[in-house]
Short mmCIF file of all heavy atoms in Angstrom, two decimals:
data_model
loop_
_atom_site.label_atom_id
_atom_site.label_comp_id
_atom_site.label_asym_id
_atom_site.label_seq_id
_atom_site.Cartn_x
_atom_site.Cartn_y
_atom_site.Cartn_z
N VAL A 1 6.94 0.70 10.77
CA VAL A 1 8.29 0.33 11.20
C VAL A 1 9.21 0.14 10.01
O VAL A 1 10.36 0.60 9.99
CB VAL A 1 8.24 -0.96 12.06
CG1 VAL A 1 9.64 -1.45 12.35
CG2 VAL A 1 7.47 -0.71 13.34
N ALA A 2 8.70 -0.50 8.96
CA ALA A 2 9.51 -0.76 7.77
C ALA A 2 9.88 0.54 7.07
O ALA A 2 10.98 0.68 6.53
CB ALA A 2 8.74 -1.67 6.80
N SER A 3 8.96 1.52 7.07
CA SER A 3 9.25 2.80 6.41
C SER A 3 10.33 3.57 7.16
O SER A 3 11.08 4.34 6.56
CB SER A 3 7.97 3.64 6.33
OG SER A 3 7.50 3.97 7.62
N ILE A 4 10.43 3.39 8.49
CA ILE A 4 11.45 4.07 9.28
C ILE A 4 12.82 3.43 9.07
O ILE A 4 13.83 4.11 8.91
CB ILE A 4 11.07 4.05 10.77
CG1 ILE A 4 9.81 4.88 10.99
CG2 ILE A 4 12.21 4.58 11.63
CD1 ILE A 4 9.29 4.83 12.42
N THR A 5 12.84 2.10 9.05
CA THR A 5 14.12 1.37 8.93
C THR A 5 14.61 1.27 7.50
O THR A 5 15.76 0.92 7.26
CB THR A 5 13.97 -0.05 9.50
OG1 THR A 5 12.93 -0.73 8.79
CG2 THR A 5 13.61 0.00 10.97
N GLY A 6 13.73 1.54 6.53
CA GLY A 6 14.12 1.33 5.14
C GLY A 6 14.21 2.60 4.33
O GLY A 6 13.94 2.60 3.14
N LYS A 7 14.58 3.72 4.98
CA LYS A 7 14.67 5.00 4.27
C LYS A 7 15.98 5.18 3.51
O LYS A 7 16.16 6.16 2.82
CB LYS A 7 14.48 6.15 5.27
CG LYS A 7 13.03 6.34 5.69
CD LYS A 7 12.87 7.58 6.56
CE LYS A 7 11.40 7.80 6.90
NZ LYS A 7 11.21 8.99 7.78
N ARG A 8 16.90 4.26 3.68
CA ARG A 8 18.16 4.35 2.96
C ARG A 8 17.94 4.06 1.49
O ARG A 8 16.89 3.56 1.08
CB ARG A 8 19.16 3.37 3.56
CG ARG A 8 19.51 3.71 5.01
CD ARG A 8 20.47 2.71 5.59
NE ARG A 8 20.81 3.05 6.96
CZ ARG A 8 21.62 2.32 7.73
NH1 ARG A 8 22.16 1.21 7.24
NH2 ARG A 8 21.87 2.69 8.98
N GLY A 9 18.89 4.36 0.69
CA GLY A 9 18.74 4.25 -0.75
C GLY A 9 18.31 2.88 -1.22
O GLY A 9 18.82 1.86 -0.77
N THR A 10 17.40 2.88 -2.13
CA THR A 10 16.92 1.64 -2.73
C THR A 10 16.92 1.81 -4.25
O THR A 10 16.89 2.92 -4.78
CB THR A 10 15.49 1.32 -2.26
OG1 THR A 10 14.63 2.43 -2.55
CG2 THR A 10 15.45 1.05 -0.77
N GLY A 11 16.90 0.69 -4.94
CA GLY A 11 16.90 0.72 -6.39
C GLY A 11 15.57 1.15 -6.96
O GLY A 11 14.55 1.15 -6.27
N ASN A 12 15.59 1.49 -8.26
CA ASN A 12 14.36 1.92 -8.92
C ASN A 12 13.34 0.80 -9.00
O ASN A 12 12.13 1.03 -8.88
CB ASN A 12 14.68 2.43 -10.33
CG ASN A 12 15.46 3.73 -10.30
OD1 ASN A 12 15.31 4.51 -9.35
ND2 ASN A 12 16.28 3.97 -11.32
N SER A 13 13.80 -0.44 -9.22
CA SER A 13 12.87 -1.57 -9.34
C SER A 13 12.11 -1.79 -8.05
O SER A 13 10.90 -2.05 -8.07
CB SER A 13 13.62 -2.84 -9.74
OG SER A 13 14.59 -3.17 -8.75
N SER A 14 12.79 -1.71 -6.91
CA SER A 14 12.10 -1.91 -5.63
C SER A 14 11.14 -0.77 -5.35
O SER A 14 10.08 -0.96 -4.75
CB SER A 14 13.13 -2.02 -4.50
OG SER A 14 13.88 -0.83 -4.36
N THR A 15 11.50 0.45 -5.81
CA THR A 15 10.60 1.59 -5.61
C THR A 15 9.33 1.43 -6.41
O THR A 15 8.22 1.68 -5.92
CB THR A 15 11.31 2.90 -6.03
OG1 THR A 15 12.51 3.05 -5.27
CG2 THR A 15 10.41 4.10 -5.80
N VAL A 16 9.46 0.98 -7.66
CA VAL A 16 8.28 0.75 -8.49
C VAL A 16 7.42 -0.35 -7.92
O VAL A 16 6.19 -0.26 -7.87
CB VAL A 16 8.71 0.40 -9.94
CG1 VAL A 16 7.51 -0.02 -10.76
CG2 VAL A 16 9.41 1.60 -10.58
N ARG A 17 8.09 -1.44 -7.46
CA ARG A 17 7.34 -2.55 -6.88
C ARG A 17 6.59 -2.13 -5.63
O ARG A 17 5.45 -2.50 -5.42
CB ARG A 17 8.31 -3.70 -6.56
CG ARG A 17 7.58 -4.95 -6.06
CD ARG A 17 8.51 -6.15 -6.00
NE ARG A 17 9.64 -5.92 -5.11
CZ ARG A 17 10.88 -5.71 -5.52
NH1 ARG A 17 11.17 -5.68 -6.81
NH2 ARG A 17 11.87 -5.51 -4.65
N ARG A 18 7.25 -1.33 -4.79
CA ARG A 18 6.60 -0.85 -3.57
C ARG A 18 5.44 0.08 -3.90
O ARG A 18 4.41 0.06 -3.23
CB ARG A 18 7.63 -0.15 -2.68
CG ARG A 18 7.05 0.22 -1.32
CD ARG A 18 8.15 0.59 -0.31
NE ARG A 18 8.93 1.73 -0.79
CZ ARG A 18 10.19 1.67 -1.18
NH1 ARG A 18 10.83 0.51 -1.18
NH2 ARG A 18 10.85 2.75 -1.59
N SER A 19 5.60 0.88 -4.96
CA SER A 19 4.51 1.77 -5.36
C SER A 19 3.29 0.99 -5.81
O SER A 19 2.16 1.33 -5.49
CB SER A 19 5.00 2.69 -6.49
OG SER A 19 3.96 3.52 -6.94
N ARG A 20 3.51 -0.10 -6.57
CA ARG A 20 2.39 -0.95 -7.00
C ARG A 20 1.72 -1.62 -5.81
O ARG A 20 0.49 -1.72 -5.74
CB ARG A 20 2.90 -2.00 -7.97
CG ARG A 20 3.33 -1.45 -9.34
CD ARG A 20 3.90 -2.54 -10.20
NE ARG A 20 4.31 -2.02 -11.50
CZ ARG A 20 4.94 -2.75 -12.43
NH1 ARG A 20 5.23 -4.04 -12.16
NH2 ARG A 20 5.28 -2.21 -13.58
N GLN A 21 2.53 -2.08 -4.87
CA GLN A 21 1.97 -2.72 -3.68
C GLN A 21 1.15 -1.73 -2.86
O GLN A 21 0.10 -2.09 -2.33
CB GLN A 21 3.10 -3.30 -2.83
CG GLN A 21 3.80 -4.50 -3.45
CD GLN A 21 5.00 -4.95 -2.65
OE1 GLN A 21 5.45 -4.26 -1.73
NE2 GLN A 21 5.54 -6.11 -3.00
N ASP A 22 1.64 -0.49 -2.79
CA ASP A 22 0.89 0.53 -2.05
C ASP A 22 -0.45 0.82 -2.70
O ASP A 22 -1.46 0.98 -2.00
CB ASP A 22 1.71 1.83 -1.96
CG ASP A 22 2.92 1.69 -1.05
OD1 ASP A 22 2.93 0.74 -0.23
OD2 ASP A 22 3.86 2.51 -1.15
N ARG A 23 -0.47 0.88 -4.02
CA ARG A 23 -1.75 1.12 -4.72
C ARG A 23 -2.71 -0.03 -4.50
O ARG A 23 -3.91 0.17 -4.31
CB ARG A 23 -1.49 1.32 -6.22
CG ARG A 23 -0.88 2.67 -6.56
CD ARG A 23 -1.05 2.98 -8.05
NE ARG A 23 -0.37 2.00 -8.87
CZ ARG A 23 0.89 2.12 -9.30
NH1 ARG A 23 1.61 3.18 -8.94
NH2 ARG A 23 1.42 1.19 -10.07
N GLN A 24 -2.18 -1.28 -4.54
CA GLN A 24 -3.04 -2.44 -4.32
C GLN A 24 -3.59 -2.45 -2.90
O GLN A 24 -4.76 -2.76 -2.68
CB GLN A 24 -2.26 -3.73 -4.61
CG GLN A 24 -3.10 -5.00 -4.50
CD GLN A 24 -4.26 -5.01 -5.46
OE1 GLN A 24 -4.11 -4.65 -6.62
NE2 GLN A 24 -5.44 -5.40 -4.98
N LYS A 25 -2.74 -2.13 -1.93
CA LYS A 25 -3.20 -2.09 -0.54
C LYS A 25 -4.23 -0.99 -0.33
O LYS A 25 -5.20 -1.17 0.42
CB LYS A 25 -2.01 -1.88 0.40
CG LYS A 25 -1.10 -3.10 0.53
CD LYS A 25 0.10 -2.80 1.42
CE LYS A 25 0.99 -4.03 1.53
NZ LYS A 25 2.21 -3.77 2.33
N LYS A 26 -4.04 0.14 -1.00
CA LYS A 26 -5.01 1.22 -0.91
C LYS A 26 -6.36 0.78 -1.45
O LYS A 26 -7.41 1.09 -0.88
CB LYS A 26 -4.50 2.44 -1.68
CG LYS A 26 -5.37 3.67 -1.51
CD LYS A 26 -4.76 4.86 -2.24
CE LYS A 26 -5.63 6.10 -2.05
NZ LYS A 26 -5.06 7.28 -2.75
N LEU A 27 -6.34 0.05 -2.57
CA LEU A 27 -7.58 -0.49 -3.14
C LEU A 27 -8.23 -1.46 -2.17
O LEU A 27 -9.45 -1.42 -1.94
CB LEU A 27 -7.29 -1.17 -4.47
CG LEU A 27 -8.46 -1.94 -5.12
CD1 LEU A 27 -9.62 -1.00 -5.42
CD2 LEU A 27 -7.99 -2.66 -6.38
N ASP A 28 -7.42 -2.35 -1.57
CA ASP A 28 -7.96 -3.34 -0.64
C ASP A 28 -8.58 -2.68 0.58
O ASP A 28 -9.67 -3.06 1.02
CB ASP A 28 -6.85 -4.30 -0.20
CG ASP A 28 -6.37 -5.18 -1.34
OD1 ASP A 28 -7.16 -5.41 -2.26
OD2 ASP A 28 -5.20 -5.61 -1.29
N TYR A 29 -7.92 -1.67 1.15
CA TYR A 29 -8.45 -0.98 2.32
C TYR A 29 -9.75 -0.25 1.98
O TYR A 29 -10.70 -0.24 2.76
CB TYR A 29 -7.43 0.03 2.87
CG TYR A 29 -6.19 -0.61 3.46
CD1 TYR A 29 -4.97 0.08 3.49
CD2 TYR A 29 -6.23 -1.89 3.99
CE1 TYR A 29 -3.83 -0.50 4.03
CE2 TYR A 29 -5.10 -2.48 4.54
CZ TYR A 29 -3.90 -1.78 4.55
OH TYR A 29 -2.79 -2.36 5.08
N ARG A 30 -9.77 0.38 0.80
CA ARG A 30 -10.96 1.12 0.40
C ARG A 30 -12.14 0.18 0.17
O ARG A 30 -13.27 0.48 0.54
CB ARG A 30 -10.65 1.92 -0.86
CG ARG A 30 -11.79 2.82 -1.32
CD ARG A 30 -12.25 3.78 -0.25
NE ARG A 30 -11.21 4.68 0.18
CZ ARG A 30 -11.39 5.64 1.07
NH1 ARG A 30 -12.57 5.78 1.66
NH2 ARG A 30 -10.40 6.43 1.44
N LEU A 31 -11.87 -0.97 -0.45
CA LEU A 31 -12.94 -1.95 -0.66
C LEU A 31 -13.48 -2.46 0.67
O LEU A 31 -14.69 -2.67 0.83
CB LEU A 31 -12.42 -3.13 -1.50
CG LEU A 31 -12.19 -2.84 -2.99
CD1 LEU A 31 -11.48 -4.01 -3.64
CD2 LEU A 31 -13.50 -2.54 -3.69
N PHE A 32 -12.59 -2.66 1.65
CA PHE A 32 -13.06 -3.10 2.95
C PHE A 32 -13.92 -2.03 3.62
O PHE A 32 -14.93 -2.34 4.24
CB PHE A 32 -11.88 -3.45 3.86
CG PHE A 32 -12.31 -3.72 5.28
CD1 PHE A 32 -12.97 -4.88 5.62
CD2 PHE A 32 -12.06 -2.78 6.28
CE1 PHE A 32 -13.38 -5.12 6.92
CE2 PHE A 32 -12.46 -3.01 7.58
CZ PHE A 32 -13.13 -4.17 7.90
N PHE A 33 -13.52 -0.77 3.51
CA PHE A 33 -14.30 0.31 4.11
C PHE A 33 -15.68 0.39 3.48
O PHE A 33 -16.69 0.56 4.17
CB PHE A 33 -13.56 1.64 3.94
CG PHE A 33 -14.26 2.81 4.56
CD1 PHE A 33 -14.41 2.89 5.93
CD2 PHE A 33 -14.77 3.82 3.77
CE1 PHE A 33 -15.07 3.97 6.52
CE2 PHE A 33 -15.42 4.90 4.33
CZ PHE A 33 -15.58 4.97 5.71
N MET A 34 -15.75 0.27 2.16
CA MET A 34 -17.04 0.25 1.46
C MET A 34 -17.90 -0.90 1.96
O MET A 34 -19.11 -0.74 2.20
CB MET A 34 -16.79 0.11 -0.05
CG MET A 34 -16.14 1.32 -0.70
SD MET A 34 -15.34 0.93 -2.28
CE MET A 34 -16.72 0.27 -3.22
N LEU A 35 -17.28 -2.05 2.13
CA LEU A 35 -18.00 -3.24 2.59
C LEU A 35 -18.51 -3.05 4.02
O LEU A 35 -19.64 -3.40 4.35
CB LEU A 35 -17.08 -4.45 2.50
CG LEU A 35 -17.63 -5.80 2.98
CD1 LEU A 35 -18.80 -6.22 2.12
CD2 LEU A 35 -16.54 -6.86 2.94
N PHE A 36 -17.67 -2.49 4.89
CA PHE A 36 -18.03 -2.33 6.29
C PHE A 36 -19.22 -1.39 6.46
O PHE A 36 -20.14 -1.65 7.24
CB PHE A 36 -16.83 -1.82 7.08
CG PHE A 36 -17.00 -1.88 8.57
CD1 PHE A 36 -17.01 -3.11 9.22
CD2 PHE A 36 -17.16 -0.73 9.32
CE1 PHE A 36 -17.18 -3.17 10.60
CE2 PHE A 36 -17.33 -0.79 10.69
CZ PHE A 36 -17.34 -2.01 11.33
N ILE A 37 -19.23 -0.28 5.71
CA ILE A 37 -20.36 0.65 5.77
C ILE A 37 -21.63 -0.04 5.29
O ILE A 37 -22.71 0.12 5.88
CB ILE A 37 -20.07 1.89 4.91
CG1 ILE A 37 -18.87 2.67 5.47
CG2 ILE A 37 -21.29 2.80 4.83
CD1 ILE A 37 -19.09 3.22 6.85
N GLN A 38 -21.54 -0.83 4.24
CA GLN A 38 -22.71 -1.52 3.72
C GLN A 38 -23.25 -2.53 4.72
O GLN A 38 -24.47 -2.69 4.86
CB GLN A 38 -22.37 -2.21 2.40
CG GLN A 38 -23.59 -2.80 1.69
CD GLN A 38 -23.25 -3.33 0.31
OE1 GLN A 38 -22.10 -3.24 -0.14
NE2 GLN A 38 -24.23 -3.89 -0.37
#
């Protein structure tokens, strides 16, 4: 929902921050998947 409503222009700092958050979330999801299989 946030990606649909927030497609308007944003600053570079918020883009970098969102990119870091996305990488961290990707790591968290992957760690959970590894844990669940184990």
Side-chain angles (χ1 to χ4, degrees):
V1 172
S3 63
I4 294 175
T5 58
K7 284 186 176 179
R8 297 178 179 179
T10 56
N12 291 331
S13 61
S14 63
T15 302
V16 172
R17 185 169 60 252
R18 187 165 60 249
S19 177
R20 291 176 180 175
Q21 291 174 349
D22 290 342
R23 286 197 298 269
Q24 184 60 44
K25 288 177 181 177
K26 186 176 180 180
L27 173 61
D28 292 334
Y29 293 153
R30 184 56 61 178
L31 287 171
F32 172 73
F33 182 66
M34 292 159 58
L35 179 63
F36 192 70
I37 296 297
Q38 188 174 358

